[in-house]
Structures are given as C-alpha cells and as structure tokens.
Amino acid sequence: MSDEPMKEFDMLDAADQAMVHALQINPRASWAQIGKALELDPVTLSRRWIRLVDRGAAWIGCNPGPILAASGLGNLAFVEIDCVNGSVQAVAHALSEQRMVTGIEHVTGARDLLVTVMVTDLSVLSQWVTEELGAIAGVVSSRIQLAGTIYTGGSRWRLRALSSSQADALAATRITVDHHGAFRPTDMDRRIMVALSVDGRASYTELAEECGASIDTIRRRARRLFAAGMARPRCEVARPLSGSQVTVILWAQVSPSQIGHAALTISAMPEVRRCTGVTGRDNLLIVAWARSVDDAQRLEGRLCEALPGLSIADRAISLWTMKLNGHLLDERGYRVGAVPISPGEPARRSVEPSSSS
C-alpha cells in the first residue's frame, strides 16, 4: 500500500454530492450534460471533480461486467485467508499489486482477509491459490467460494443527492446496455478494459494512446463494450464522505428455489452494494454500507423480517477496505493508487491517481 500522506477532505458540499451522484448514474457523461442536468457551470464542475480526484475523495474505475462471466470469459471468486499474527498487512500488500486481485478486505470474524479474485478459468484459480497465494509468507490457509449470479454490484449504489428529474435526465445520457449484444472480446477490447479499470473516465484520445490504436477504433470498440455490459464504469466516493462508516459482509442461506426472489429483495435495499450467489455451505454473499455497527445489526433484522426463509450463517465487519475494484485505499477509505484489473494476470504495475476530466 502507498505511504503517501492523505490530504484532508472531510466533507462534500451540496454541489459535490450532486456531481458525484450524477457520475454514479453516468460516469462518462460530459460536463456539459452534467451541467445541464444540475444547472451548474460545466467548467466549475470539471474543476471540482479534479479536486476530488487529486485528494482521493472520489474516482471512476471500470469493472468487467457480469456478462464477462456469463460468456465464459471470466470467473469471480471470494477467497478467505488466514494469516500469521502480525503479517496481515504484508500479505495484503503482496496481494494488492496483483492484477487479478480486484478487492481486499481486512475483516473481523473467522478469517483475516477476504479477497476478491477474477480469473479466466478455474484452472488458473487453482494455480493461483497453490502457487501464487501459497508462496506468500504469512499465509496460513485459505478457503474459496465461487461467485454465481451477480444480482447487484457497487455500480448501482447511489449517494442519493439528486431529485428524480435530475436523475432521469442523467440516465437518459447513458449508453443503453443490451445484454443480448454480448460478444467475444478481442485482445484490443481487453486492453481497453484494462485501461478503463484505472480511469473509467479516460477520454478516447487517452485510451488510444494507452492501447496503441486509432481514436475511431477505440471509440467504436469501447462503446460496443459499454453497450454489451462487458465494461461498466463506476464512480466511487471515499466511504467517510458517503455518510456510511461501516462495511458489513453477510453470508446467508436460502432455499435454492427462493434464491432469485430473495436476491431481488435484498438488492432493492439502499444500503446493499453487492448481492452475489456463491458456492459452498452458503449461497448468498451480501455486502452493505451502514452508518454504524448498530445499523448493520438492524439491517440483519430487516433482511430476516423481509425474507423469513433467510438464515444469516456468518457476518464480518471490514476493518480496512484495502483494495476496491482495483483501486488502492488508505485506512480511512481514500484512494491512493490503482492496479489495472486483468483476469488471470498476476503481473504487477501500480498506477497513481490521475485527474482526468
């Protein structure tokens, strides 16, 4: 993790909140489009965004969408890791530099780290666990759960600072996702997705320079990736600025015949950032942001009340989200860098924050 000191930035004013919510709805909207919906000056908005990015308070990445896994081109796994006492940070640092490791949480409960890994196939996952993970000093043991259906993800979480009419105006500017338009990505498409994972708001010119192709080619292929749901830009905000101080992770069980209904009910709850079907003893993994530990416990009560057949098998609180969707965070939840997401590729290359407009 980076040792760079965090610049103080402890609150978002109304304009910043509105801008972040707008970018959560359409992370690649132009400043003119956002300014029109918010009735704010586009130049001022651009300056505000650069200030937030420079201070690690907000950023835009891009994760390979659920369509990638559905097309057989990617598998998501959650790996619970037990560490030798005193070695958690060293293990997390070694994992944080790997491109296929998209998330790292230092958590309470029956494991030290919960790591999210994206691989091209299960043999790559086996090799990674036995060779890469097993070779890291301080790792005692690990357990794997494979992700099935991803019912909702962090890209749907909202700051809720806009009116309905403003949100609708921004939603109308998005590229429509057509899940029937999925295609098998080329090497160029993969390079575009890797570049977008670091800066999901990168211009087509910047992407062309990074990927070594013409602007027209990049624009055409990137828009096709967005339309197919294979690349999903995602605006994040440092957790202390979100009004939610606690990340709670729940492992739940529900009857297989009810899992679809349960997942839809869970995904509709505003605190929920992820609801994913998983293999193993439990069949649902739920991640939510709560204002406090008390609120996290009340969320459990609401879940069980709404879904009488649901059983919470285990829970954990994140002490430190060290890596989120490829982006490196400090102890407070502010961005300090990024590692490109590349399924099945553990190669290391850290990238510091940019202030792309």
Side-chain angles (χ1 to χ4, degrees), residues 18 26 56 66 77 83 98 101 108 136 141 170 185 199 213 218 235 241 243 275 313 353:
N26 185 356
C83 303
Q98 298 197 14
V101 173
T108 64
I136 297 175
S141 61
L170 266 302
D199 183 2
I218 293 296
C235 179
L241 304 177
C275 180

Side-chain angles (χ1 to χ4, degrees), residues 78-135:
F78 304 106
V79 184
E80 300 177 23
I81 300 174
D82 301 322
C83 303
V84 174
N85 286 343
S87 67
V88 170
Q89 286 204 33
V91 172
H93 177 77
L95 292 170
S96 70
E97 296 181 335
Q98 298 197 14
R99 289 186 168 203
M100 58 194 284
V101 173
T102 65
I104 303 172
E105 303 269 2
H106 179 205
V107 296
T108 64
R111 75 288 296 163
D112 294 308
L113 296 173
L114 179 63
V115 174
T116 306
V117 182
M118 181 171 283
V119 297
T120 50
D121 60 59
L122 298 184
S123 64
V124 171
L125 178 61
S126 175
Q127 182 180 26
W128 178 81
V129 169
T130 56
E131 297 181 11
E132 293 279 339
L133 181 60

Side-chain angles (χ1 to χ4, degrees), residues 199-245:
D199 183 2
R201 199 171 163 78
S203 68
Y204 293 125
T205 299
E206 292 168 328
L207 291 172
E209 293 174 356
E210 176 73 17
C211 299
S214 70
I215 295 175
D216 287 342
T217 296
I218 293 296
R219 180 184 294 108
R220 181 178 67 254
R221 300 210 69 85
R223 289 179 66 87
R224 190 178 180 192
L225 288 169
F226 298 143
M230 282 193 167
R232 292 194 170 182
R234 172 169 154 181
C235 179
E236 297 283 6
V237 62
R239 194 178 60 189
L241 304 177
S242 70
S244 301
Q245 301 300 315

Side-chain angles (χ1 to χ4, degrees), residues 294-305:
D294 284 347
D295 277 348
Q297 291 179 320
R298 282 191 283 270
L299 173 63
E300 281 195 48
R302 288 169 46 217
L303 285 167
C304 293
E305 183 178 350

Side-chain angles (χ1 to χ4, degrees), residues 107-111 248-251 297 300 304 311-317:
V107 296
T108 64
R111 75 288 296 163
V248 58
I249 305 160
L250 304 173
W251 287 264
Q297 291 179 320
E300 281 195 48
C304 293
S311 172
I312 304 296
D314 199 0
R315 75 272 297 154
I317 298 293

Side-chain angles (χ1 to χ4, degrees), residues 1-2 6 56 59 96 104-105 236-240 273 289 320-338:
M1 309 299 288
S2 171
M6 188 60 237
W59 60 94
S96 70
I104 303 172
E105 303 269 2
E236 297 283 6
V237 62
R239 194 178 60 189
R273 286 178 54 89
W289 278 8
W320 179 359
T321 300
M322 299 173 161
K323 190 176 188 181
L324 177 65
N325 199 34
H327 293 257
L328 307 175
L329 311 182
D330 69 7
E331 296 92 332
R332 297 179 64 202
Y334 289 78
R335 181 187 187 274
V336 294

